[in-house]
Amino acid sequence: MKVKEVAELFDISIRTLHHYDQIGLLTPKEVTDAGYRLYSEENLETLQQILFFRELGFNLKEIKKIINNPSFDKHEAFILQRKMLMEKRNKLDKMIENIDKTLKHITGEIHLTNKERFEGMNMKFNEYEEEARYRWGNDSIDNVNFKLSRLSTEEQHDLSGRWDRIFHNLASLRNRTPQSKEVQAAIKEWYDFLNDNFSQYSLKSFYGLGQLYIQDERFTKNIDQYGEGLASFMSEAMKVFAVQQKRGHINEHYD
């Protein structure tokens, strides 16, 4: 198919297809002597997946990295994309339902509690995304979002539950010293949880994250909901953890 035909079939602009070719994201199977781009059936499959990834919020750089990976499996990707789109649709359905209920609440037809007003609007893992992108780069956050998007609703609830349990446990240990074995075991659990489910934290970045807990009032307020002074307590415990793991070389690298 010629570029114009592909553009009409997928309802995208010819300029977009030219751009995809220029950045090496979608190279036509053949270019005629006259300069016409010709797209194969395989090209169309790839374009379909690119557009699905775009709909799911992936940037072009990340999409290129995914589809050019030697281990990339098209069939598996379509299955995953379907799951992600279903999850996105379910979330949108819940938010639409929430809007309908809120409109009735405003007109006095029903009464919503504060909790009910925010049903379907779980932003727990995205609250500081903009700042995280600034601090650690788009690729790291895109990878985190990709990991989270692959989780089922049940798995996301389990992840959220483990998050809460770790914070409640740390809050219960605030009367102990940050150096105590119990506190350090709890902080190690937090360190492992972050590395297993979000991004790879070096000891230096983990220490820096702890400093952010007390330097940024948004983090402090959010963490202290689990117990007054928890942010400061965790920050100190995270520093101790980094000190112990670095075997006393903390002064050179972190202080």
Side-chain angles (χ1 to χ4, degrees), residues 69-188:
N69 191 315
S71 63
F72 178 69
D73 185 300
K74 288 185 177 180
H75 182 262
E76 183 182 71
F78 276 127
I79 293 174
L80 175 59
Q81 286 168 334
R82 185 182 187 280
K83 291 180 179 179
M84 294 169 71
L85 287 168
M86 288 293 291
E87 182 64 29
K88 183 176 181 180
R89 185 178 74 177
N90 291 337
K91 184 173 183 179
L92 289 173
D93 286 343
K94 289 179 181 178
M95 293 182 75
I96 292 171
E97 182 182 355
N98 181 283
I99 289 175
D100 291 339
K101 289 181 179 179
T102 301
L103 288 171
K104 291 182 179 180
H105 173 79
I106 292 173
T107 59
E109 294 180 56
I110 62 174
H111 174 74
L112 295 179
T113 65
N114 287 334
K115 182 178 180 180
E116 289 171 332
R117 290 173 66 182
F118 290 93
E119 285 181 350
M121 300 177 66
N122 182 9
M123 307 297 287
K124 184 159 196 168
F125 301 110
N126 295 321
E127 188 175 2
Y128 304 110
E129 180 172 321
E130 183 177 351
E131 180 165 348
R133 286 182 182 278
Y134 171 77
R135 290 177 180 274
W136 298 303
N138 286 326
D139 287 348
S140 296
I141 306 307
D142 287 335
N143 287 334
V144 169
N145 285 340
F146 182 57
K147 288 180 183 179
L148 291 175
S149 65
R150 298 182 69 175
L151 301 178
S152 66
T153 301
E154 183 178 345
E155 288 172 327
Q156 289 184 25
H157 287 165
D158 177 65
L159 191 67
S160 180
R162 288 168 59 196
W163 174 298
D164 284 337
R165 182 179 60 78
I166 291 172
F167 273 81
H168 282 301
N169 182 40
L170 282 163
S172 71
L173 297 172
R174 284 173 297 155
N175 63 329
R176 308 197 181 188
T177 64
Q179 295 84 0
S180 71
K181 291 183 178 180
E182 295 84 357
V183 172
Q184 285 303 300
I187 284 294
K188 183 180 186 305

